[in-house]
Amino acid sequence: MKIFLTIVMCSAMQGACLEPYTFPTGYYSYYDCITDGYKKSLEKLEEIGEQEVNVHGIYLKFDCKEVILPKPKPKGLPL
């Protein structure tokens, strides 16, 4: 089981959000996912910049969801 971080960027001025983005690398703990969600959200806001955030009312929201991954199939066994 792994936990995956999904971030959504929204504009309060437009009243709309972009499609969610789920990061391909999972986490083994909810704590690690949540703390990285805050870090990645802050990094994205800093990348966009204060002016654009203020003009468009940009905000980010995120979630961490558990996903049960299928067990890998054994290799080299006859079918």
Side-chain angles (χ1 to χ4, degrees):
M1 173 173 38
K2 278 197 171 185
I3 301 166
F4 289 88
L5 172 63
T6 300
I7 293 183
V8 180
M9 183 167 45
C10 302
S11 167
M13 301 300 179
Q14 298 293 321
C17 298
L18 296 176
E19 289 293 316
Y21 176 77
T22 300
F23 289 86
T25 304
Y27 303 86
Y28 290 104
S29 80
Y30 186 75
Y31 177 85
D32 289 341
C33 182
I34 286 292
T35 56
D36 207 31
Y38 283 111
K39 290 174 190 173
K40 287 186 183 330
S41 295
L42 179 57
E43 289 169 4
K44 189 55 147 173
L45 288 173
E46 290 172 342
E47 178 185 321
I48 294 166
E50 182 179 355
Q51 183 177 353
E52 291 297 310
V53 169
N54 288 332
V55 167
H56 299 287
I58 293 173
Y59 63 96
L60 299 165
K61 52 188 180 178
F62 64 89
D63 194 13
C64 293
K65 297 273 187 188
E66 285 184 296
V67 175
I68 297 172
L69 301 172
K71 292 183 181 180
K73 294 181 180 179
K75 294 181 182 178
L77 295 178
L79 298 176

